Each structure stands twice: as structure tokens, then as C-alpha cells.
Amino acid sequence: MASTLYRLHTHLWRARNQSLFPAVIGARWMSNSQSPLSDIQHGRLEINKTSTPKKLPALETLKFGHNFTDHMLVIPWNSSQGWGTPEIKPYGPLSLDPSSTVFHYAQCIFEGLKAYRNKKGKVTLFRPDLNMARMNLSAHRLALPTFNGAAFLDLIKELVRLERHWIPQENGHSLYIRPVMIGTQNTIGISPPDSALLFVICSPVGPYYPDGFKPVALHGTTEYVRAYPGGTGAYKIGANYAPGVFPQKQAAKSGYVQNLWLSGPEHNLTEVGTMNLFVVFRQEDGTLELVTPPLDGMILPGVTRDSILSLARSHAAGTLRLPNLTSKLVISERGVTMKEVCDAVQSGRLVEMFGAGTAAIVSPINRIGYQGKDIEIPVEDNGMGPVSRPIWADLVARQTGEVESDWSVVVYEE
Amino acid sequence: MASTLYRLHTHLWRARNQSLFPAVIGARWMSNSQSPLSDIQHGRLEINKTSTPKKLPALETLKFGHNFTDHMLVIPWNSSQGWGTPEIKPYGPLSLDPSSTVFHYAQCIFEGLKAYRNKKGKVTLFRPDLNMARMNLSAHRLALPTFNGAAFLDLIKELVRLERHWIPQENGHSLYIRPVMIGTQNTIGISPPDSALLFVICSPVGPYYPDGFKPVALHGTTEYVRAYPGGTGAYKIGANYAPGVFPQKQAAKSGYVQNLWLSGPEHNLTEVGTMNLFVVFRQEDGTLELVTPPLDGMILPGVTRDSILSLARSHAAGTLRLPNLTSKLVISERGVTMKEVCDAVQSGRLVEMFGAGTAAIVSPINRIGYQGKDIEIPVEDNGMGPVSRPIWADLVARQTGEVESDWSVVVYEE
């Protein structure tokens, strides 16, 4: 019975997300869909509240990912019983055997999503189903256990409700939620782990650009790559992140903020730092083309990426009106090479470039260092471009609940 | 003064290993060689012995990497003070904040080496300087702190001396030593960590093939890659390992033991599972050519790989005589494609193939599943081939101290 329900859930889940992650939702992303083991069960939740709640940090002191709330959610898994008792308990250290595989072989995956609280105290999450689906894909790719995403999401909601006083209500503020899964098998051999731990911690965060949008300069990176065909670039796994720190340091030494990750002999643009990438070209007839690289296995299927594409497509189809965007708009998921970017800058047809991700939402780009030269990318006075600004405004309004949206999932209402 | 000594040490260390890791020892592998921070210091070691020593496991129950000794070595680092007090203390769990970067971003590197104890009680390590040099390269690549490799090695020797009764004296047995470094910064942002932990655990191990050599069947893998130009394949970092588990599971489902990692449109052979790869071809005139892929940035600079090349070259040069190897031998570090392997099998010129690594030492290959067909690789009755067997025998004799060698470093003598 449990297994039948699980399979049904799997099918629904897959159908729901198929259109959003077409390149990565394959035939078998729920590896244990026929498993007789226990899945995550909301009903088994145990809550142990802290007796020493922390003082809430002053908003102006918030630094991204430096403050954590009073509690965390932990759910253990092992290969003989499946998912164990979920527990919300005081935020505190994990005690792990030094042989745990996460320390040796990078058996770790994560997600990042935000909870918003409006002035009336309503708490919402933004498209959390996508994070659940993507985390299952990541788990499957690393041979970590998959899980019932809906049940895990229900538990995350419990944690967010308990911590809702931690969510700042001010503009641009939110609670950053970080689900993580690690392999905890206590042997040095490399295999699918026989035990794992899923946990969630929360961090109140302020606006990524507290003083208004600040365009960033990128280093067009050719000596290091972020991803490659047959690799893991499409998954949100720890292993995609550690190798990027050194190249970022090198870029910073040369005066650039982030890496523009290029790929292949044609120097195809892939991602920027840890964000997805968008480029806007003006075509001969004045049409604006919003371009982002396709989900070809090297690109992370970002929730912000998908949301931007979806809003832009609705505008282009006439079902949504983005203010001040009067030019005709077409949307392309296609490859873009550095040659195309350089040519478009030269001929004045490059309109804007920006990164997109959960942390910064939209991050405008004003310069690319490439093969010893600096290429200036247009930015408007207010720090964004003609396409990114209306999309960003609409997206933020949906995220915060200011504009009604199916994407906004209510967690709590007073 | 400390800094001058440190720089001197760095230069010596680099000079010593330059010939061994030519492709990866670059200009700046000691990132903090001018650092004013404390380096690892043997003289600061604190030893806290366990009051409840474990019972030594029965040799026949040993499973690779499942048993750990009574103590571990831990050395903390932070960005304001550098390396702190080294401590040998009872083996036990690490307590880490759930925001520690190792859990999120795979900030982890490791090494693997073995200690041997002969019948007279003499304890030796095999070429541990290479592990120290390689670990520093890995640390630098991940923006983790580098360290004085000689001082760290001295501390490892202290641990091995304390645990020497754990080292089985039987043939093919040893103590597997696992140094690990993890990033422990407690924030969700991605950057070079402001704190890290270096630790060493030890595991007594038996022969990899207790019942004699067992040749393995490989799946010639084209849908997943292990490494890529501009990637991290040349470094011993956790991020290279987690992504390989799922492809290995897939290979196992089809009846293969490990992945033969292929690369590029020509399907160049790179590595096998987590081992380096060797192929032996018979040339027209009867000369045997021992081939391994070059250290081009995609290949791990294995200590066993280097040792095999070195012994083979000495034999070819006439300075070492490997018994029963009477054919003329040439050694090549060059690319090998699947086409070359298939053609050589067809024409009877493929003599043998084997993997090489610290755990198994030499692992013969008898079959490759490639593009829907099975290619039979020759193996001799005793499970190895005419080149691998004498090299393996000589290598093992040097590792165990049966044959005198500069590579064997004495840790303890009764």
C-alpha cells in the first residue's frame, strides 16, 4: 500500500515537473520508487524545542548565510530500514565518525530556497516543489537515497512555522532555507552509502545588494571549467562547488568579481559564478531576444532561471504584461559563444547580461575580461537592463506575495 | 625566520618531487609559503591516549576500510592563526556545525598510504613524501590551507608508532593510513574557508585479493566521464569520487566490476574505477610496450603508477633486473584509444591490461564491455600478465621491506 501510494506520488511529481526540468527529468529519477523501505513520514515528526532561544540579530548586521535560527530538522536514513524519525531539534553540531563518507568522497547534495513573511505575518515559500524534485535528482545521481518530496516539504514547512519570527518582514529580506543530504557510512570503501543524513538549517538574510543593484565584472574563464558533457553540472551537488573557489580567487586577483564559465572550443557561455546566465540581444528589426543556455546536462536547472523564462514567455505570449517592456520579445534556450557576445557588443546589439539565482535573484553584469581584453556590457543607470528590471520586479512581487501567484505556497497565516 | 625555513623547505620539497609529478607541480603549489601564520609543528604535539583500547580484529574478518585503530591525529587550522596544536587522541566522532562548508560544498581532500610491519617488528611507510606533496597540491587547488609536509609526516609517524601493534605482520597485510582535510567554516557562503581540520585515521587491511588475483571485467564508459580538461581529475579531492558511484552501480548491473573511464571523441582510456591504468602492447619486433596515459591534468598522479613506471624504466635501462621478463621493454606515457586496444586484441598484440593503486596495488583486467560488445583481454593462468607480475612482485618486496629501497621509510625498529 505504502509502495503504491509512493509510486502514485512519484508519477504525479514527475508529471508536474516534466515541463520545468525537461533535460534532467529522465525515466528513472526515483531510484527507490519500488522500495519496501520506509519513506519520509510527516506523521512521525518529533519536535524538541530549544530552552535557550537566541536573540534575533539586528537586520543591519545580517550577512548572507552567517546567522542561523534556533532549530534544525534532521532525518536519518539507513539501507536496512529506510528513512527514520524526522526530528526538529535545537540547532547544534552534528556528531559524525571521522570515516563518514561525506568527509572523504564528497557525498553531499543541497538545495537553497527562501521563505518570505509579509507585513500581515503571512509566510510563503517560492516554488519549493522544484527544490524537492531537483534534490531527488541530485540524490539519484550520487547514489544517495531518494525520498517523498511532498513529505519532506511538509516537514520543512513545520520548521519554517516554528521559526517564523526569524523571517524579517522588510523589503528584500527573507529566510534562506538550506536542505542538505550527506553520506554517513563509516567505511573507507567507495560505494552507495549504507546510511545518510538529511538536514535543514535556516538563515535570515537581507537584500543581496543593500545599496541598490551593483553590476559585476566577470572573468571569462577558459583555463578552468565548471562542467562538461558526461559530468555533473546539471545537479546541485557539493562536488560542483569546491572546485570553483580557487578560480574565483584568481579572478578576484585580476579585479573581477566572478567567473564567467566558458565551455568547449567555441567558448560557449554556460554559467556565471554559481548563477545561471542570461543575455539579451537586439535583433535587426528591434526585437529583443532573451537567451539562456539550454539544459544540456552542463547547466543547473535553476528555479530562478525557470521563473524568468516562464515570465518572459508569458509576456511574449501576451498573457502577462511586464511594464515598460514595449519591444517585441522572443525567448531562446540556445548556445551563445563569446564570439557572438563580442560581435554584438561591437555592433551595439548587445542589450544586457545578467546572472540569476536564488540568493541574488538577478545580478547585472557590466564587464567581461576575455583573452586579455575588457568587454564593456551595457547597463542602465539604475543598474539593470530593460528586460531584467521588469522581470525582476514581477518575480520579486510573486516571491513576496505582493502579486498573487501559483508559485507562492502559503506556510502560515495569522 | 620561520618563514625563511618554510620557503627553504618548500623549495627542497618541490625539487624532490618535480620529476615525479611533472604535470601537476606548477610554480605556486605552496600558496601560503610566504605566510606569517603558524605552520604545522611536530614539537607542539599533544598525545591523549585512550583508556579503553579496542580488541584487535581477527585477521580473517578484516574488510577493507571497515576497522579503525584506537587513535586519530587531528590538527585544526584557522585563517587568523594558521595551524594549531596537533593532537593524537582517542578515535571518535567529529563534532561539526551543520553549516560547515564540507557538508555543502565538498571542501574535502584526502590521501591513502600504507604502513607495513615485518616479522622483526620493523615498521615502514612507502614513499610518504609523495602523499604529502600531492595533498598540498590538492589543498591548493581547493583553496584549502597548505602545510609543511615534512612536519605533517613526522606527526603521522608518531601516530603509526603508537598504533604499530595494529599493523598485521602477515603477507599482503598492512595499515591503511587515511589523511583527510575538510573545510569547517560555519557559513553558507562559498569562499576559501576561514577554518579547516586535518585529520588522520588508520585501518588495518588484508590483501585486496585474499584468494589470489582475480581479474576484473570493465565497462567502457562513454555516457559519464571521470575528468575533463580544465577540471580536477589530477587532484585527490572528494569531488572526484562521489560522482563515480552511480556509474559504477550501473556498470555492476550489466555484470562489470568497474568503469573504464573513456574521454573525448576518440574514447581515450584514462583510468579504471579509482585506479590508474596500464596497457601492454607487443610491437612487431617482439618488444613489449608498457603504456599509461600521461599526466595531462585528467589523470591522478598515483604513487603506485609512478613506482611501476620507475621500476619498468630501471629494468629497461638495465639497472634493475625483473625476473622472467626477457622481452625488450619500452615505457610510454602516451594516449591510448579504444580503437588501438580493439585493433591490438584482434591482431593478438594486446598482452595485458591492469589497474594500479595503493589499495589493490595491481588489478588485472580480463574483459571490457564496449559499445555493446565484450572484448576479451588476455590474462595468464596465475591471474596477471608477463609484465605486471614481475613488477608487482618487485614492488611488493620494496613496500614490505623484503628488498632494500630508498622508497621505504623506517618509522620504528625494535
Side-chain angles (χ1 to χ4, degrees):
Chain A
M1 176 61 183
S3 170
T4 308
L5 275 178
Y6 190 90
R7 275 202 297 278
L8 178 65
H9 166 82
T10 304
H11 284 298
L12 288 175
W13 198 264
R14 197 184 295 159
R16 189 171 175 188
N17 293 304
Q18 198 112 35
S19 64
L20 302 167
F21 295 111
V24 287
I25 298 259
R28 291 168 310 180
W29 67 271
M30 280 287 197
S31 62
N32 58 5
S33 62
Q34 317 238 349
S35 167
L37 301 179
S38 289
D39 206 321
I40 292 178
Q41 288 169 48
H42 183 193
R44 292 175 66 188
L45 175 64
E46 291 179 4
I47 301 181
N48 295 299
K49 289 191 197 173
T50 181
S51 55
T52 55
K54 301 173 195 168
K55 198 166 163 277
L56 296 185
L59 288 191
E60 62 277 14
T61 66
L62 288 181
K63 225 178 127 183
F64 186 83
H66 278 65
N67 307 82
F68 299 98
T69 65
D70 287 318
H71 299 91
M72 60 186 186
L73 167 66
V74 296
I75 319 175
W77 174 90
N78 67 57
S79 57
S80 55
Q81 275 140 7
W83 290 102
T85 305
E87 185 184 5
I88 289 175
K89 63 181 195 179
Y91 183 97
L94 304 175
S95 176
L96 291 167
D97 196 273
S99 68
S100 299
T101 44
V102 63
F103 298 133
H104 304 247
Y105 306 125
Q107 287 183 327
C108 52
I109 63 175
F110 69 97
E111 281 297 323
L113 65 161
K114 283 177 176 173
Y116 301 87
R117 185 162 62 129
N118 74 7
K119 298 292 179 197
K120 292 180 188 157
K122 185 162 93 168
V123 175
T124 54
L125 294 172
F126 187 71
R127 309 186 78 187
D129 49 335
L130 296 192
N131 298 96
M132 298 298 103
R134 187 170 63 183
M135 195 169 197
N136 266 313
L137 291 169
S138 303
H140 184 246
R141 179 61 186 83
L142 286 202
L144 288 165
T146 54
F147 53 84
N148 179 329
F152 183 38
L153 180 53
D154 282 344
L155 292 165
I156 291 175
K157 288 179 185 173
E158 295 282 2
L159 178 63
V160 172
R161 274 192 282 272
L162 183 65
E163 306 292 62
R164 65 182 185 274
H165 57 291
W166 279 89
I167 313 175
Q169 292 174 294
E170 284 67 19
N171 258 350
H173 289 67
S174 59
L175 186 72
Y176 185 86
I177 302 164
R178 171 54 63 90
V180 178
M181 196 196 304
I182 58 176
T184 55
Q185 177 158 342
N186 294 341
T187 68
I188 282 180
I190 309 176
S191 64
D194 65 7
S195 62
L197 187 71
L198 182 58
F199 65 88
V200 182
I201 56 177
C202 301
S203 173
V205 295
Y208 209 81
Y209 297 104
D211 307 318
F213 279 88
K214 206 172 141 188
V216 295
L218 306 182
H219 178 251
T221 303
T222 52
E223 62 275 43
Y224 303 102
V225 297
R226 191 198 86 92
Y228 36 82
T232 55
Y235 302 91
K236 207 155 180 75
I237 65 175
N240 289 340
Y241 292 80
V245 175
F246 182 76
Q248 195 277 331
K249 260 177 72 179
Q250 297 295 98
K253 273 189 192 167
S254 311
Y256 302 99
V257 177
Q258 277 295 354
N259 301 91
L260 173 60
W261 299 108
L262 304 175
S263 171
E266 309 281 317
H267 293 174
N268 269 271
L269 284 70
T270 61
E271 298 199 13
V272 39
T274 58
M275 287 183 281
N276 288 120
L277 174 77
F278 286 85
V279 191
V280 180
F281 296 104
R282 182 178 295 107
Q283 297 177 335
E284 301 247 323
D285 66 353
T287 299
L288 297 183
E289 184 192 15
L290 175 67
V291 183
T292 196
L295 299 180
D296 59 359
M298 289 166 61
I299 302 294
L300 189 82
V303 175
T304 308
R305 175 189 180 280
D306 185 84
S307 304
I308 288 172
L309 285 175
S310 178
L311 293 177
R313 284 187 173 126
S314 295
H315 176 83
T319 56
L320 168 75
R321 204 190 150 278
L322 294 170
N324 303 320
L325 188 49
T326 50
S327 305
K328 194 183 165 206
L329 185 70
V330 294
I331 291 92
S332 305
E333 290 182 77
R334 66 166 175 88
V336 185
T337 65
M338 275 308 291
K339 182 172 184 316
E340 184 180 7
V341 167
C342 293
D343 288 352
V345 167
Q346 201 120 45
S347 61
R349 294 193 303 102
L350 198 132
V351 179
E352 63 166 318
M353 275 181 74
F354 57 97
T358 294
I361 309 176
V362 160
S363 183
I365 296 158
N366 66 353
R367 192 160 53 96
I368 301 171
Y370 177 63
Q371 296 188 327
K373 283 187 197 157
D374 264 12
I375 302 161
E376 300 297 328
I377 306 296
V379 276
E380 293 186 349
D381 287 346
N382 53 25
M384 279 201 280
V387 176
S388 61
R389 178 163 285 274
I391 290 181
W392 167 81
D394 193 276
L395 180 53
V396 167
R398 284 162 204 270
Q399 286 175 335
T400 57
E402 198 189 311
V403 164
E404 282 280 316
S405 167
D406 288 350
W407 289 344
S408 191
V409 174
V410 178
V411 174
Y412 180 82
E413 258 180 308
E414 269 168 17
Chain B
M1 175 61 184
S3 169
T4 309
L5 275 178
Y6 190 90
R7 275 202 296 279
L8 180 64
H9 166 80
T10 304
H11 285 297
L12 288 174
W13 197 264
R14 197 185 295 158
R16 189 170 174 189
N17 293 305
Q18 198 112 35
S19 64
L20 301 167
F21 296 112
V24 287
I25 297 259
R28 291 167 309 178
W29 67 272
M30 280 288 198
S31 62
N32 58 4
S33 62
Q34 316 237 351
S35 167
L37 301 179
S38 289
D39 207 321
I40 292 178
Q41 288 170 49
H42 183 192
R44 292 174 67 188
L45 175 63
E46 291 178 3
I47 300 182
N48 296 300
K49 289 191 199 173
T50 182
S51 55
T52 54
K54 302 172 195 170
K55 198 168 163 272
L56 296 184
L59 288 191
E60 61 278 13
T61 67
L62 288 181
K63 225 177 126 183
F64 186 82
H66 277 66
N67 307 81
F68 299 98
T69 67
D70 288 318
H71 300 90
M72 60 186 187
L73 168 64
V74 295
I75 319 175
W77 175 90
N78 68 57
S79 58
S80 55
Q81 277 141 5
W83 290 102
T85 305
E87 186 185 5
I88 289 175
K89 63 181 194 179
Y91 183 96
L94 304 175
S95 176
L96 291 168
D97 195 272
S99 67
S100 299
T101 44
V102 62
F103 298 133
H104 304 248
Y105 306 124
Q107 288 185 325
C108 52
I109 64 175
F110 69 96
E111 281 297 324
L113 64 161
K114 284 178 174 172
Y116 301 86
R117 185 162 63 129
N118 74 8
K119 299 290 179 199
K120 291 180 187 157
K122 185 163 92 167
V123 175
T124 54
L125 294 173
F126 186 70
R127 309 186 78 187
D129 50 333
L130 296 192
N131 298 96
M132 299 297 104
R134 188 171 63 183
M135 195 170 198
N136 265 314
L137 292 169
S138 303
H140 184 246
R141 179 61 185 85
L142 286 201
L144 287 166
T146 54
F147 53 84
N148 179 328
F152 183 39
L153 180 54
D154 282 344
L155 292 165
I156 291 175
K157 288 179 185 172
E158 295 283 0
L159 178 64
V160 171
R161 274 192 282 272
L162 183 65
E163 306 291 61
R164 65 181 183 274
H165 56 292
W166 279 90
I167 313 174
Q169 292 174 295
E170 285 68 16
N171 259 351
H173 290 67
S174 59
L175 187 71
Y176 184 85
I177 301 165
R178 170 55 62 90
V180 178
M181 196 197 303
I182 58 175
T184 56
Q185 177 159 338
N186 294 341
T187 68
I188 281 178
I190 307 175
S191 64
D194 66 6
S195 62
L197 187 72
L198 182 59
F199 65 87
V200 182
I201 56 177
C202 301
S203 173
V205 295
Y208 209 81
Y209 297 102
D211 306 317
F213 280 87
K214 204 173 145 189
V216 295
L218 307 182
H219 177 250
T221 303
T222 53
E223 61 276 43
Y224 303 101
V225 298
R226 190 198 86 92
Y228 199 77
T232 55
Y235 302 92
K236 207 154 179 79
I237 66 176
N240 289 340
Y241 292 79
V245 176
F246 181 76
Q248 194 277 331
K249 260 177 71 178
Q250 297 296 100
K253 273 189 193 167
S254 311
Y256 303 100
V257 176
Q258 277 295 353
N259 301 92
L260 173 59
W261 299 108
L262 304 175
S263 171
E266 309 281 315
H267 292 172
N268 268 271
L269 284 70
T270 62
E271 297 198 12
V272 40
T274 58
M275 288 184 280
N276 288 121
L277 173 77
F278 286 84
V279 191
V280 179
F281 296 104
R282 183 177 295 106
Q283 298 176 332
E284 301 248 322
D285 66 354
T287 300
L288 298 182
E289 184 192 17
L290 175 67
V291 183
T292 196
L295 300 180
D296 59 1
M298 289 167 60
I299 302 293
L300 190 82
V303 175
T304 308
R305 175 189 182 279
D306 187 84
S307 304
I308 288 172
L309 285 175
S310 179
L311 293 177
R313 284 186 173 124
S314 296
H315 175 83
T319 55
L320 169 75
R321 205 191 149 279
L322 294 171
N324 302 322
L325 187 50
T326 49
S327 305
K328 194 182 163 206
L329 185 69
V330 295
I331 292 92
S332 304
E333 289 181 79
R334 67 166 174 89
V336 184
T337 65
M338 276 307 292
K339 181 172 186 315
E340 184 179 6
V341 167
C342 292
D343 288 352
V345 167
Q346 202 118 45
S347 61
R349 293 195 301 102
L350 199 132
V351 179
E352 63 167 319
M353 274 180 75
F354 56 97
T358 294
I361 308 175
V362 160
S363 183
I365 296 158
N366 66 353
R367 191 160 53 96
I368 301 172
Y370 177 62
Q371 296 187 327
K373 283 186 199 160
D374 265 12
I375 302 162
E376 300 297 326
I377 307 295
V379 277
E380 294 187 347
D381 288 345
N382 52 26
M384 279 200 281
V387 176
S388 61
R389 178 163 285 276
I391 291 181
W392 167 81
D394 192 276
L395 181 52
V396 167
R398 283 162 205 270
Q399 286 174 336
T400 56
E402 197 189 311
V403 163
E404 282 279 316
S405 168
D406 288 349
W407 289 344
S408 190
V409 174
V410 177
V411 174
Y412 180 82
E413 260 181 308
E414 270 166 17

